[in-house]
Amino acid sequence: MKKGFVFDLDGVITDTAKLHFIAWKDLAAMLDIEIDLTFNEQLKGVGRMDSLERILVYGGKEKDFSLAQKETLAEEKNKHYVELLQDLTPQDLLPGFKTFLDSAKKKQVPCAVASASKNAPFILKKLEIFDEFDAIVDPATLTKGKPDPEIFIRAAQAIHITPEEAVGFEDAQAGIEGIKACGMFAVGVETTEPLYQADLRVKRLDELSVDSLLQK
Ligand code: B16
Ligand code: MG
């Protein structure tokens, strides 16, 4: 029996990957690195500094900057990204998510957010669903990023259940691996790439019934 739900944000609740892409593409261009949407897939679920590192490695420039310079670059990207987030509205919720969340809330299932994004609270407020969650893990307090299970373990703790009692929802392979590594049931929200190891795969969350997931 499952008792609670743990949601990733980007790719599960809303599609911010396209906004991350605009901001990273502009920053990369400034450094004479060209990234495309295929490369962007590798940044899904990956934290801000690690994303920058991957871009620099891709462009063969990882040795060209000090840590302080990399932090400035990441801050610059984030400033642009946050500007792009200003236009988010509840219309930007992914199809089927709100129907599923409403059904979970009606049944009083505790819900947590396990996102690598430090902007998650702001995004959830723009989407007008911030108050629907019982907990949002602060990624700044984590020692490791996905695929480490730390964020999912912390999310389960925050809603007072064990990882084995939780269902985790993810769109990124690294996230599915983190969910499975702590014994959670994994729902993969698939777009283009197949998600390996997921216990269930869906295109949108309203394909699922809350009751049948709680029986898993
Ligand atoms: P920020 P998720 C992740 O969100 C994004 O998929 C990833 O592209 C981004 O770099 C990361 O958040 C950090 O975001 O720069 O806003 O702190 O999929 O874990 O919800
Ligand atoms: Mg994601």
Side-chain angles (χ1 to χ4, degrees):
M1 278 290 285
K2 303 297 177 194
K3 296 184 179 166
F5 294 153
V6 173
F7 299 97
D8 172 51
L9 173 64
D10 176 27
V12 170
I13 298 177
T14 187
D15 178 20
T16 36
K18 58 184 183 219
L19 305 180
H20 280 294
F21 177 64
I22 296 171
W24 279 130
K25 192 175 161 57
D26 282 5
L27 187 95
M30 231 177 60
L31 308 173
D32 277 329
I33 302 172
E34 197 185 326
I35 60 167
D36 59 15
L37 280 168
T38 310
F39 175 80
N40 196 50
E41 286 298 309
Q42 293 180 35
L43 304 183
K44 288 189 176 175
V46 178
R48 198 180 303 164
M49 285 301 279
D50 285 343
S51 297
L52 174 65
E53 202 59 42
R54 286 189 189 202
I55 291 168
L56 294 177
V57 169
Y58 182 72
K61 295 186 190 258
E62 72 275 22
K63 301 252 182 330
D64 296 5
F65 302 94
S66 67
L67 179 62
Q69 286 172 319
K70 287 178 186 176
E71 278 166 356
T72 306
L73 290 172
E75 262 169 45
E76 224 167 285
K77 177 268 175 179
N78 191 54
K79 214 173 134 218
H80 185 186
Y81 176 61
V82 170
E83 276 166 25
L84 298 170
L85 290 175
Q86 303 299 325
D87 294 334
L88 277 190
T89 72
Q91 305 283 352
D92 293 298
L93 284 161
L94 280 171
F97 177 76
K98 190 66 174 38
T99 307
F100 182 81
L101 182 68
D102 286 347
S103 162
K105 298 307 298 176
K106 217 181 255 173
K107 292 176 198 297
Q108 294 178 327
V109 180
C111 293
V113 173
S115 167
S117 177
K118 293 181 175 141
N119 295 299
F122 176 67
I123 294 169
L124 294 170
K125 281 177 193 155
K126 294 294 281 182
L127 297 171
E128 297 177 16
I129 53 168
F130 179 81
D131 294 330
E132 308 283 321
F133 294 97
D134 303 282
I136 299 165
V137 178
D138 176 1
T141 63
L142 302 171
T143 58
K144 290 182 188 150
K146 301 169 188 177
D148 192 276
E150 184 181 15
I151 192 168
F152 298 104
I153 295 169
R154 289 271 305 279
Q157 271 169 358
I159 50 173
H160 314 293
I161 61 174
T162 66
E164 290 79 9
E165 290 171 330
V167 177
F169 301 81
E170 257 290 349
D171 70 309
Q173 187 60 41
I176 297 285
E177 283 163 28
I179 290 174
K180 293 304 294 175
C182 64
M184 270 186 200
F185 185 90
V187 175
V189 183
E190 283 186 344
T191 47
T192 45
E193 305 297 314
L195 293 170
Y196 303 102
Q197 290 182 46
D199 297 298
L200 261 181
R201 293 178 186 79
V202 292
K203 293 264 176 237
R204 38 189 291 166
L205 289 200
D206 59 356
E207 288 170 35
L208 299 164
S209 114
V210 168
D211 280 334
S212 70
L213 275 178
L214 295 176
Q215 305 297 323
K216 297 285 180 194

